[in-house]
Amino acid sequence: MKGLFVSPSPHRAADMSTSKIMLTVIIALFPAAMAGCVFFGPRAAAVLAVCIAACVIFEALCRIVMKKDQTIGDLSAVVTGLLLGMNLPATVPFYVAVIGSFVAIVVVKQLFGGIGQNFANPAIAARIVLMLSFTPQMSNWVKPYWYSGAVDAETSATPLAAEWLTYSESGANFKMAPFTLSEMFWGETGGCIGETCAAMLILGGLFLIVIKVISPATPIAFIGSFAVLTLIYTGSLTETVYGVLAGGLLIGAFFMATDYATTPLTTKGKVVFGIGCGLVTFIIRSFGSFPEGVSFSILLMNLLTPYIDRLTKASPFGAKKPVKAKS
């Protein structure tokens, strides 16, 4: 008779490994990344390549210096580099991209123990550092000149930074969006490399949901709460849809607010996390000095994740609250 072994869970290895999950995320991000390269040209592809290469190199060097097992094979550094590059403008200097990669991998990820132990999404934290440290370089936007047929890159405001036009008709005042919803959906606007083409981001996000790599709870709660608040505040369905398609809301909701290591574990927690992201994004966009608030909202909710997990954790079946002893 064989002996019985007692050990903690998990007792059965899952078919989906870390490297497979990361490869799936890369595949989901690929359409939006390629759209950015088509719209913004070879410079966008170069920024993505620099970010990915820098992240992989920094991770490899960190593991060597820290005398730990090499982890570049799990592809998490590639995902971080790709996400960071997609959150940068095509005109950003390469040295800024390298600095952002250093912050993401070395400071946010490896100094806290590596994958699964970082307190915040590395790409989000790096983007915020770059936004605050290199504001001019991080706000130099260009139109998608490959799509429009222009020879040279032409500067342009992003959909969130551009001003809405006001016109009068039949004695009533109306607001006109600087871009059409069709332009917003297909990515014919200025912005970061990977955030402008809503169609490809939605396609990639739905792909991850269908194959059950991510839960739909956070994206639905994030986008839904932001949309409801915007609709109540503006009273305009057009402005609401415009706000959902603009900026980094979709890439944040599908690819950053669903990070395994920095978001809640339970479905209730994911919903709370998403609603918090939507609320903070709405507040910053509507009342803050920054036109965009997605990165700040996700980072803030990353910091609150341990408390959300604690408040939404499931109680063991049949468990009773301990009775406090009378003093």
Side-chain angles (χ1 to χ4, degrees), residues 13-75:
D15 296 330
M16 187 67 80
S17 63
T18 300
S19 59
K20 287 182 180 179
I21 292 174
M22 295 301 165
L23 180 59
T24 305
V25 174
I26 292 170
I27 294 171
L29 286 168
F30 187 78
M34 289 301 98
C37 293
V38 170
F39 290 149
F40 298 110
R43 189 66 171 68
V47 171
L48 294 179
V50 167
C51 287
I52 293 172
C55 283
V56 172
I57 291 171
F58 283 134
E59 175 137 332
L61 292 176
C62 267
R63 304 303 290 187
I64 292 173
V65 172
M66 297 165 67
K67 297 181 180 180
K68 292 186 176 182
D69 294 338
Q70 198 56 255
T71 55
I72 58 174
D74 63 18
L75 301 179

Side-chain angles (χ1 to χ4, degrees), residues 3-298:
L4 299 176
F5 296 93
V6 178
S7 65
S9 61
H11 303 292
R12 184 168 62 90
D15 296 330
M16 187 67 80
S17 63
T18 300
S19 59
K20 287 182 180 179
I21 292 174
M22 295 301 165
L23 180 59
T24 305
V25 174
I26 292 170
I27 294 171
L29 286 168
F30 187 78
M34 289 301 98
C37 293
V38 170
F39 290 149
F40 298 110
R43 189 66 171 68
V47 171
L48 294 179
V50 167
C51 287
I52 293 172
C55 283
V56 172
I57 291 171
F58 283 134
E59 175 137 332
L61 292 176
C62 267
R63 304 303 290 187
I64 292 173
V65 172
M66 297 165 67
K67 297 181 180 180
K68 292 186 176 182
D69 294 338
Q70 198 56 255
T71 55
I72 58 174
D74 63 18
L75 301 179
S76 62
V78 176
V79 171
T80 297
L82 183 56
L83 278 173
L84 175 60
M86 292 174 70
N87 278 276
L88 300 179
T91 57
V92 71
F94 292 140
Y95 73 88
V96 174
V98 172
I99 292 173
S101 301
F102 176 86
V103 172
I105 296 297
V106 179
V107 179
V108 182
K109 184 180 178 183
Q110 292 300 329
L111 289 184
F112 285 87
I115 185 172
Q117 301 181 59
N118 42 289
F119 71 97
N121 184 289
I124 284 287
R127 187 191 185 204
I128 291 176
V129 169
L130 294 182
M131 285 171 59
L132 298 177
S133 304
F134 302 96
T135 304
Q137 294 90 334
M138 289 289 291
S139 55
N140 183 20
W141 314 107
V142 293
K143 292 182 178 179
Y145 62 92
W146 271 31
Y147 185 89
S148 62
V151 176
D152 297 319
E154 182 181 348
T155 58
S156 169
T158 64
L160 290 175
E163 294 185 4
W164 285 56
L165 302 176
T166 303
Y167 68 97
S168 299
E169 184 176 314
S170 302
N173 292 327
F174 298 92
K175 295 173 71 177
M176 180 182 295
F179 299 97
T180 66
L181 295 182
S182 175
E183 290 173 331
M184 301 281 292
F185 185 73
W186 294 111
E188 303 167 42
T189 67
C192 292
I193 295 169
E195 72 178 18
T196 59
C197 188
M200 296 298 101
L201 290 170
I202 294 172
L203 177 65
L206 291 177
F207 169 70
L208 292 180
I209 291 173
V210 168
I211 65 174
K212 298 182 179 180
V213 167
I214 65 172
S215 166
T218 298
I220 291 174
F222 192 165
I223 298 170
S225 60
F226 173 82
V228 169
L229 291 170
T230 303
L231 182 60
I232 294 173
Y233 180 67
T234 64
S236 169
L237 182 60
T238 300
E239 287 190 52
T240 301
V241 177
Y242 187 95
V244 170
L245 298 178
L249 183 64
L250 293 178
I251 191 173
F254 285 118
F255 297 101
M256 294 180 166
T258 54
D259 178 34
Y260 288 0
T262 59
T263 55
L265 300 173
T266 65
T267 300
K268 283 184 182 179
K270 294 178 190 298
V271 171
V272 171
F273 185 93
I275 292 174
C277 287
L279 174 62
V280 176
T281 299
F282 167 76
I283 292 173
I284 294 176
R285 283 190 179 184
S286 302
F287 309 106
S289 57
F290 280 95
E292 178 62 289
V294 172
S295 297
F296 293 101
S297 69
I298 296 176

